[in-house]
Amino acid sequence: MTPLHGVGHNGGPALDGGVSYRRYLWKNARKGLMGESLPIEVIRRRVRRAEELGMPYKSYASIRACTGRDVIGFLFSSNALRLIRQGDQMPPAYADKLAQVKATRLVAAHHPLVPDLIEAMEGIDTAAAAPAPYAPWSTQRARLSALLGPKLPRAGVVLIADAPFEADWLMAGKLGGQIEAPVFFGA
């Protein structure tokens, strides 16, 4: 019998025998490794780290659980910072929040913004040209790789995006997670 699905489809749940037993083994192995819950000291440390990063604990915990890495940087789109035209300034609340973030702060600047001028702004570590909207995957990946550099682990970087097409950067850049700008900035 030929499958009804095409290339790229995972075929749905496994139908072979032993699925429930493997699930049982996996749950027990995880429980043995982690215990029933994390120690309170670990949770307190992670809550403090989330506060240092200026992000909600729930978002921090889910990104950390999915990637297995601490968040070490943020990639902001210029749209997320409300920088649309040359000469625009970040809203004061956004600038204050960026100044408090204890992580690498990168900005992908959309055309016609000049990355060097954005990089000169307070609270921004590095800026570079953003991938064009709906650019081919390889172009997006190349632009993001140039911005992130060779030493920054991709899974430790969180995307702060505002426009729908910026969500593609998460997969193209192999980033750790995404938070919408209004959630991050509390707008």
Side-chain angles (χ1 to χ4, degrees), residues 49-61:
R49 180 65 178 147
E51 288 171 357
E52 288 176 358
L53 294 170
M55 60 190 296
Y57 174 73
K58 187 175 181 180
S59 299
Y60 173 77

Side-chain angles (χ1 to χ4, degrees), residues 1 23 34 59 68 72 99 104 106-107 110-112 117 133 135 138 163 172-173 182:
M1 184 171 142
R23 187 177 302 123
M34 298 288 291
S59 299
I72 58 168
T104 304
L106 309 166
V107 176
H110 289 288
H111 182 75
L117 297 177
S138 58

Side-chain angles (χ1 to χ4, degrees), residues 7-23:
V7 174
H9 193 282
N10 68 4
L15 299 176
D16 58 336
V19 172
S20 60
Y21 182 65
R22 287 194 305 270
R23 187 177 302 123

